[in-house]
Amino acid sequence: MASFAFPALYLVCISLLVGFCSAGDPFVNYEFVVSYITASPLGVPQQVIAINGHFPGPVINTTTNNNVVVNVRNKLDEDLLITWAGIQQRRSSWQDGVPGTNCPIPPKWNWTYNFQVKDQVGSFFYFPSLNFQRASGGYGGFIINNRDIIPIPFATPDGDITLMIGDWYTRNHTALRRTLNGGKDLGMPDGVLVNGKGPYQYNTTLVPDGIDYETINVHPGKTYRIRVSNVGVSTSLNFRIQNHNLLLAEAEGSYTVQQNYTSLDIHVGQSYSFLVTMDQNASSDYYIVASARFVNESIWQRVTGVAILRYSNSKGKASGPLPDPPNDQFDKTFSMNQARSIRWNVSASGARPNPQGSFRYGSINVTEVYVLKNKAPEMVDGKRRTTLSGISFVNPHTPIRLADQYKVKGVYKVDFPTRPLTGPPQMATSIINGTYRGFMEVILQNNDTKMQSYHMNGYAFFVVGMDFGDWTENSRGTYNKWDGIARATTQVFPGAWTAILISLDNVGVWNLRTENLDSWYLGQETYVKVVNSEVNNKTELPMPDNALLCGALSKYQKPQDISSAISTTLRSKGSKLFFTLLTTICAFISISL
């Protein structure tokens, strides 16, 4: 027996030591217990998805190149995946947490995400990606700090504040799903939450008694970095702080040219950092407002989130009317010009010492062009669906990345059209074949009547142009080829287009989708497959040992065991004691061989 057992144990030891020693960057560890709780953010008791009993979940706080380990325990009554919006998962789409790359975590199971935030800084968030669950919560902030050796392009703030804003329904995600499956619209949201809480009672008619609201405590004269993410279902929100300027400093991992705004439109899935100086006289508290955009405000008044900014020397409660939003319900020109004004700070360092602008995207030749068009929901195969270029995406039972790994045929087709289909819409699992190290131009054409946000996993793309009307070849003459912002989520105005450029340097299978949760749920997405023909660990890490198997591979899925957890613990703790003990055991086994 020993002749077989000891060599096997020795190989295990060596593999663990290699894994341990190769992890030179620090680890940060989180335990997520995902469960339902009963909460009443808008005064109505409802089922909410909490993490560790809290809604929203904890803010993940890490630093460039750290290894992030998140053990997720699924205590819901349905499958679960967590995705990390804006985290690029360099070389590791295995950790991306969407149906095209990962099998879901079944109820009562746990699964450990283990990824590196390679060469990134900035403000992001995570959320559950399956079954419309984000509409019931389960989200939280994700901060990547600069390394000490890389200066930030502004004075170190006196504090750091994370705000999750988003529209909210008092129906839970399962009820909202039933509405969409029944072929109906969700209708107007019931309100807007700020950090999981309802509005301050600024108006006794609109806001009932007993609503718990968010209070941000600050000190006079100090400057705070306020990170704001729109984690809602489908509503664009205008964000503002009464009597305070918002100095924009960062957008989803890119430092921006610093500009003051009295308010900024934040669309679904977008994240920003503002520097806000507490320079008022504190005669009273101040309103923090997130209100619905491009709607009839007299009807949508309830869709307004209100939190409180409280100076330590405040002399009283906030009162009176809220600060006014932009007055342009039927004219989106102001909002588009505001979006165009957000520029890349080309001289600032990002995650690396070299300036952001040293990557001269405007001088790179485009290798492939895709025009992706969406329109209002339509009937496809007897069901009300959304489409992208005439295709309503069908998520496969076997994730695309797993199908490739195990050579499972017939799961998907790499035949997504470069231009919108001209025939009737169709249901299909059709994806884009991206050329590794290619440079892709994507035009997002919104022929719907509502605002759309588009997000791409695995990448930050360059937003180089947007305008009303239909995109044409001549539209390229308006592109910003110098300091267009690099980000993961961009808005596309109704009846308008947005052009993005993507440097396809991250191998994997990456989700390209609308962030509007209802449209995403109904099929408005695809994937971009980026393959290096020379398979090696430098461009894509191997499939993790704990990868779940489902669909055509479900028969190979073993019951859960603790082996992967032991390996993760050894590496993530980074403890000399673990290392010494492991080295001793391996030495003993080698002597015994």
Side-chain angles (χ1 to χ4, degrees), residues 96-154:
D96 206 26
V98 288
T101 54
N102 293 95
C103 291
I105 307 167
K108 300 182 181 179
W109 281 48
N110 73 286
W111 197 76
T112 302
Y113 292 88
N114 191 338
F115 55 88
Q116 186 180 29
V117 288
K118 182 69 174 173
D119 293 336
Q120 284 194 265
V121 295
S123 310
F124 310 96
F125 66 96
Y126 60 85
F127 67 92
S129 64
L130 297 180
N131 299 321
F132 218 74
Q133 289 164 354
R134 192 175 80 201
S136 285
Y139 50 72
F142 197 124
I143 295 171
I144 308 177
N145 302 291
N146 280 63
R147 292 173 289 171
D148 291 339
I149 60 171
I150 309 293
I152 55 176
F154 43 81

Side-chain angles (χ1 to χ4, degrees), residues 46-69:
Q46 64 181 117
Q47 186 186 71
V48 169
I49 296 176
I51 298 178
N52 303 337
H54 297 284
F55 168 60
V59 175
I60 291 179
N61 198 326
T62 184
T63 299
T64 301
N65 295 343
N66 280 181
N67 296 284
V68 179
V69 180

Side-chain angles (χ1 to χ4, degrees), residues 64 119 146-147 149-151 346-356 358:
T64 301
D119 293 336
N146 280 63
R147 292 173 289 171
I149 60 171
I150 309 293
V346 296
S347 62
S349 297
R352 294 184 174 186
N354 50 305
Q356 294 180 142
S358 59

